[in-house]
Amino acid sequence: MKTLILAEHNGEALNASVYQSVTAAQFWNAPVEILVTGNDAANIAQQAALIAGVARVIHVKADHLAHPLAEDIAHIIANIANEYTVILAAHSSFSRNILPRAAALLDVAMISDVLEIQANNTYVRAIYAGNIHTTIQSTDRIQLITVHSSNYSAADVITNTAEVAVVPAPAPQQKTRWISETRTLSDRPALSTAKVVISGGRSLGSAETFEQVLAPLAASLGAALGATRAAVDAGYAPNDIQVGQTGVTVAPDLYIAVGVSGAAQHTYGMKDSKIVVAINQDPDAPIFQVADYGLVADLFEVIPELTAAIQKN
Ligand SMILES: Cc1cc2nc3c(=O)[nH]c(=O)nc-3n(C[C@H](O)[C@H](O)[C@H](O)COP(=O)(O)OP(=O)(O)OC[C@H]3O[C@@H](n4cnc5c(N)ncnc54)[C@H](O)[C@@H]3O)c2cc1C
């Protein structure tokens, strides 16, 4: 019995959630292995090999993995799955794209966004945007799960290196192919790991105001910017900074919600934040129910004042 973790990385560093996944995987008290895919990911495999509790790193290397496609990684997982009883990843857009495909290839259920592992095959997960917690049991021979990584602390980095096994990839599948990609380059910290996140809602009114009002505050606090789905759908903010059930889950030290109503689908993605500050002109806005500090005010007045006060100090 072994556990396999699918590693998310950007070619330079492992995603912080991989360290949290390793902690989650310790539940099974079985050897933990990490799958790293890429054409030139030896340094990533090395980083994975330094995580405490990792027994082995499987580095699947091939030219076509320079721009990995979910279909290819799902096939890699399906090819080696029989060695494992648990295949696990942090719940993110990356894993949500890959693991359900692997589950389909293996004909097992996909168990997503697990909040708590209660027993070898028993999990607590949220439904209805976190309003109901269900306890489910799987009888599948291989458990394929994604975990709510902010519920787990990060595993330590140690000096003892685990074995790295370089394994060839199966032939690329032919149904889809990589053509191009557009990356958003930003000096701000990455949203999923930032210590401070400032999120704006539809109330910001336009893409220009979103940036004009929130960017100076983000700069003065070294914060990442987030947005509600309504702000994203209106074109005020890019899709990759949407916080919530269908976006990114964040758990920073400080979360500042600016003109955000606090719909359940939004709070699902931020309610594990250590301190929540909400600024909304409606005293009855639901966001105040999850806020530690609330300010009933017009954001267009108080955000510039707050930014100036922080810059002054
Ligand atoms: C299946 C599904 C999945 C979803 N997933 C997500 C998700 O992942 N993330 C997400 O965010 N949403 C998600 N939603 C949408 C969610 O239900 C809400 O519609 C959305 O979060 C609302 O965004 P908002 O708070 O920006 O807008 P609104 O609900 O319109 O709220 C705007 C708020 O701004 C306040 N306001 C207005 N002007 C000012 C001002 N000048 N100063 C201060 N406050 C002001 C108002 O009082 C109001 O509370 C999902 C919905 C569905 C159905």
Side-chain angles (χ1 to χ4, degrees):
M1 174 172 169
K2 291 192 290 184
T3 301
L4 181 71
I5 293 175
L6 171 65
E8 181 172 356
H9 66 87
N10 63 4
E12 287 169 12
L14 273 176
N15 193 297
S17 62
V18 177
Y19 297 80
Q20 293 159 317
S21 305
V22 172
T23 302
Q26 301 302 336
F27 182 89
W28 284 273
N29 216 4
V32 173
E33 302 194 350
I34 298 190
L35 171 64
V36 172
T37 59
N39 72 323
D40 184 21
N43 62 328
I44 304 292
Q46 215 46 50
Q47 289 170 30
L50 290 171
I51 303 177
V54 171
R56 194 162 77 123
V57 176
I58 316 286
H59 176 197
V60 176
K61 193 177 168 190
D63 287 346
H64 68 272
L65 296 174
H67 301 289
L69 296 171
E71 290 83 352
D72 284 322
I73 302 183
H75 271 105
I76 292 170
I77 293 171
N79 263 12
I80 57 174
N82 283 334
E83 291 179 37
Y84 303 94
T85 41
V86 178
I87 298 175
L88 175 151
H91 192 70
S92 69
S93 308
F94 171 78
S95 63
R96 285 198 300 231
N97 200 5
I98 296 167
L99 285 195
R101 297 171 197 273
L105 291 170
L106 294 165
D107 197 19
V108 298
M110 174 70 223
I111 304 166
S112 60
D113 209 5
V114 165
L115 300 173
E116 187 193 337
I117 303 160
Q118 283 197 334
N120 279 355
N121 62 353
T122 310
Y123 311 96
V124 177
R125 59 182 301 272
I127 58 172
Y128 295 111
N131 286 320
I132 295 177
H133 286 186
T134 53
T135 303
I136 58 162
Q137 207 168 53
S138 166
T139 52
D140 278 331
R141 64 197 163 88
I142 302 172
Q143 315 271 306
L144 245 105
I145 68 172
T146 59
V147 293
H148 201 77
S149 53
S150 60
N151 281 10
Y152 298 91
S153 56
D156 289 334
V157 174
I158 52 169
T159 46
N160 279 356
T161 312
E163 178 204 349
V164 177
V166 180
V167 175
Q173 49 74 43
Q174 302 297 328
K175 287 187 180 154
T176 50
R177 68 196 165 90
W178 180 88
I179 294 177
S180 69
E181 66 192 26
T182 307
R183 287 182 183 240
T184 311
L185 296 174
S186 167
D187 294 335
R188 295 186 190 119
L191 177 61
S192 58
T193 52
K195 298 252 179 272
V196 182
V197 173
I198 301 166
S199 281
R202 190 193 335 236
S203 50
L204 269 303
S206 71
E208 293 71 32
T209 351
F210 192 95
E211 193 65 21
Q212 272 164 20
V213 174
L214 299 185
L217 182 59
S220 54
L221 290 172
L225 278 186
T228 64
R229 176 157 154 184
V232 170
D233 288 350
Y236 305 164
N239 179 270
D240 60 338
I241 68 165
Q242 179 183 313
V243 172
Q245 185 193 354
T246 44
V248 181
T249 300
V250 298
D253 293 342
L254 173 62
Y255 187 89
I256 306 179
V258 180
V260 170
S261 60
Q265 295 89 355
H266 182 79
T267 56
Y268 183 80
M270 48 63 73
K271 61 180 183 238
D272 293 332
S273 306
K274 291 205 179 79
I275 294 176
V276 176
V277 175
I279 298 163
N280 195 307
Q281 65 183 12
D282 175 5
D284 296 323
I287 191 69
F288 290 124
Q289 289 166 18
V290 293
D292 299 286
Y293 299 92
L295 182 58
V296 179
D298 182 342
L299 72 92
F300 295 105
E301 287 173 15
V302 294
I303 295 297
E305 282 177 28
L306 179 63
T307 307
I310 291 169
Q311 285 167 349
K312 203 170 150 197
N313 291 314

